[in-house]
Amino acid sequence: MITTDLAPGSPCWLDLGAPDVPAAAAFYGAVLGWEYESMGEGEDMEGGMFRKDGKIVAGLGKLTEEGARPAWMIYYTVTDADASTQAVERAGGTVRVAPRDLDDWGRMAHYSDPLGGQFAVWQPGKNSGFELADEPGSLSWTELYTSDAAAAKEFYGRVFDWRFSDMELPGGGGTYILITPAGLPEERMQGGLMQLPEENLALADGRPYWHPVFNVADCDAAVAKVTENGGSVQMGPEDAEGVGRLAVCLDPSNADFVVLTPSQS
């Protein structure tokens, strides 16, 4: 589970780079019940925050990087963004955005893993990250699709000191690798990674990619909202034993995410 205590190595923030900010705000408002709060003035709406029940859950900004695809960026809490940058470089990753301060809110940096999977870190200042997690309309899991699971475990283990455990998927579906932050118990598992052939990673031109899993009260109802509002469904809805009912979705700009109604324990 993901919580808002935001321990080192755990997800603490996510934001969406979208080509059309107002359209993205409307889509996620319809699907996840989010309210959008623009940080700009007038009708330009180049960026802002999403809230659920008054609590901040994610950010939204204009996609400006040339050649980049619309996608969610997941940030992980660190105590020292500069030290994390050095760890990324030692482990063979790439610095995409060097550590920088965002006023007194905190310090951030963006990276790519050795195979091209993109992620970010956040060193908290007066802002620690999202205010709601593991509840309907908020982040409940993170997931990496990669063509080399062993390399991913080596890299992210060195950068974040994550612990990994294997889970065999039913029906010979392969091995799913569970991620737990260092020093935290198993119930604090926060995500997973799975090896897929490069041809199954076409969304990112064969490169690995992270995506968020959002908790929803009713997976089928959320999927209906996805398609009604111009998105599409890559897989599901389907039941996953011991996990819940889930669907892999794309928003109208092809940014990927998962909606999940967890099993009742």
Side-chain angles (χ1 to χ4, degrees), residues 175-188:
T175 302
Y176 191 82
I177 299 167
L178 299 161
I179 300 168
T180 305
L184 295 182
E186 279 196 357
E187 56 263 29
R188 287 293 303 275

Side-chain angles (χ1 to χ4, degrees), residues 41-102:
E41 296 181 358
E43 299 179 358
D44 200 17
M45 290 183 68
E46 289 298 296
M49 303 290 182
F50 285 116
R51 291 182 182 269
K52 175 68 175 177
D53 299 330
K55 297 181 178 180
I56 295 174
V57 291
L60 172 63
K62 180 80 170 180
L63 183 67
T64 56
E65 183 179 347
E66 186 174 349
R69 73 178 184 95
W72 284 97
M73 179 67 71
I74 299 172
Y75 294 70
Y76 296 92
T77 297
V78 295
T79 56
D80 186 333
D82 296 275
S84 295
T85 298
Q86 294 171 6
V88 165
E89 293 177 320
R90 285 195 301 268
T94 302
V95 180
R96 300 180 59 249
V97 178
R100 66 184 187 193
D101 293 322
L102 298 182

Side-chain angles (χ1 to χ4, degrees), residues 5-16:
D5 70 4
L6 309 178
S10 63
C12 63
W13 185 246
L14 70 164
D15 55 38
L16 173 67

Side-chain angles (χ1 to χ4, degrees), residues 81-221:
D82 296 275
S84 295
T85 298
Q86 294 171 6
V88 165
E89 293 177 320
R90 285 195 301 268
T94 302
V95 180
R96 300 180 59 249
V97 178
R100 66 184 187 193
D101 293 322
L102 298 182
D103 295 325
D104 58 351
W105 293 98
R107 189 164 174 80
M108 56 82 74
H110 285 209
Y111 313 113
S112 293
D113 68 26
L115 293 178
Q118 297 182 359
F119 66 104
V121 298
W122 179 252
Q123 177 186 330
K126 75 174 189 178
N127 182 278
S128 298
F130 45 59
E131 299 172 345
L132 186 70
D134 210 37
E135 297 289 341
S138 66
L139 184 70
S140 63
W141 193 252
T142 64
E143 195 164 59
L144 174 68
Y145 290 163
T146 181
S147 57
D148 191 335
K153 288 170 64 177
E154 172 70 18
F155 173 78
Y156 289 102
R158 290 176 65 184
V159 171
F160 292 118
D161 198 26
W162 285 344
R163 293 185 292 111
F164 302 98
S165 55
D166 293 349
M167 179 180 74
E168 294 305 315
L169 296 174
T175 302
Y176 191 82
I177 299 167
L178 299 161
I179 300 168
T180 305
L184 295 182
E186 279 196 357
E187 56 263 29
R188 287 293 303 275
M189 283 179 184
Q190 65 191 28
L193 66 92
M194 187 171 182
Q195 182 166 308
L196 297 172
E198 282 192 18
E199 56 266 26
N200 289 5
L201 304 175
L203 200 61
D205 297 323
R207 297 187 303 275
Y209 58 92
W210 287 94
H211 57 218
V213 178
F214 296 117
N215 182 311
V216 293
D218 185 329
C219 179
D220 294 75

